[in-house]
Amino acid sequence: VTAWGGFIEEARQGSFPDGLLSATPADVRAFVSLDKALSSSSRAVKVAALRSMYAAVEAEGLIEENPAKKVPLGRVESVHHRAVPQAAILRVLSRLAESGKVRDIRDRALVILMLSVGARRAEIAALKVGSIYQTEEGRFLVLPGKGGKTTDMPLKAGAVRAIEKYLDVAGHGDNPDAPLFANVSRRPAHRGKALTSQGVYHIVKRLFGQSPHCLRAAAITSVWSNSDGNTGLAALFARHSPSSGVRLTQGVYVQTKKLERAMVYAPDYQ
């Protein structure tokens, strides 16, 4: 907003602050286009800030119309958040399955788990062996989420098998306090320690060329697609709101207690 004031003062030849009240959509467009190196998302942030400021000014009756309201935000989808195509996922999983290295077996289990529960990288890094428990209904994963909330996620058969194989070769499956995904570095100071969130990032980046969110996006997209476009179930699976519910653009409200219904449509990679 300060930069906007300076822009108006220069453009209107010293008419600040009166110039703020006579700004036009053309002024807003010129302002956000000044820095050609800005991404579309950064420009959208600028427009949104001006919209908010002028909404307050309009509410006070100082202007008749919000000049930033007619300027489109122009957001574009981040390449880092695009879902990985299923063909690419299958290629990576197949290649890792052919390897007998502990690192590759671990990475395969990590990828399958991320896809089966739509986990964020920080959630994966926080998991311990004891985060998985058995009930009469099957295996469940206590997944830590945002705001200190946890969610008990039913595990798909493919994820269970991949994790069991990894823990068998890694040798720490009997210790519930051990990190589920451990560092396999040759350096003694790092080997056996929990993977960090950044470590998870580097694994997924190495395998798919994108950030870990690409796997979360793929998992959520699979639930949406497998449920015939049920946006509510996809939101449940994504765990956008750990308590009361989620409001989507379609006006759909969902409750987390229906999570198991959403999990029916989650991908089950073998």
Side-chain angles (χ1 to χ4, degrees), residues 2-16 19 27 34:
T2 302
W4 168 245
F7 171 81
I8 285 295
E9 186 173 13
E10 182 177 347
R12 302 278 177 167
Q13 299 182 346
S15 59
F16 180 85
D27 292 327
L34 279 177

Side-chain angles (χ1 to χ4, degrees), residues 23-35:
T24 66
D27 292 327
V28 176
R29 284 191 290 270
F31 173 65
V32 299
S33 300
L34 279 177
D35 189 348

Side-chain angles (χ1 to χ4, degrees), residues 34-112:
L34 279 177
D35 189 348
K36 302 299 182 183
L38 280 182
S39 66
S40 296
S41 296
S42 296
R43 295 186 188 195
V45 169
K46 282 192 172 186
V47 175
L50 292 178
R51 281 187 183 183
S52 178
M53 182 191 76
Y54 277 109
V57 175
E58 185 179 15
E60 292 293 327
L62 299 177
I63 57 175
E64 294 183 0
E65 189 175 23
N66 186 335
K69 195 172 183 179
K70 291 185 177 181
V71 179
L73 291 177
R75 285 194 180 97
V76 296
E77 181 187 15
S78 169
V79 66
H80 297 296
H81 291 180
R82 290 176 184 164
V84 178
Q86 186 178 29
I89 293 172
L90 293 175
R91 281 197 302 271
V92 169
L93 292 180
S94 177
R95 176 168 55 82
L96 293 175
E98 295 174 356
S99 171
K101 296 180 180 179
V102 176
R103 186 189 75 164
D104 291 337
I105 296 173
R106 179 203 63 187
D107 293 352
R108 189 172 189 275
L110 184 149
V111 168
I112 289 178

Side-chain angles (χ1 to χ4, degrees), residues 225-245:
S225 177
N226 294 340
S227 63
D228 294 327
N230 192 317
T231 311
L233 290 180
L236 278 170
F237 177 78
R239 296 167 293 112
H240 289 306
S241 173
S243 54
S244 59

Side-chain angles (χ1 to χ4, degrees), residues 187-245:
R187 292 176 290 180
H190 296 274
R191 189 175 184 84
K193 299 293 180 63
L195 280 178
T196 63
S197 176
Q198 192 65 14
V200 176
Y201 174 90
H202 286 304
I203 290 172
V204 178
K205 182 75 171 178
R206 170 169 52 82
L207 295 174
F208 296 97
Q210 297 186 50
S211 78
H213 204 95
C214 68
L215 295 182
R216 177 169 161 79
I220 296 170
T221 301
S222 291
V223 172
W224 179 83
S225 177
N226 294 340
S227 63
D228 294 327
N230 192 317
T231 311
L233 290 180
L236 278 170
F237 177 78
R239 296 167 293 112
H240 289 306
S241 173
S243 54
S244 59

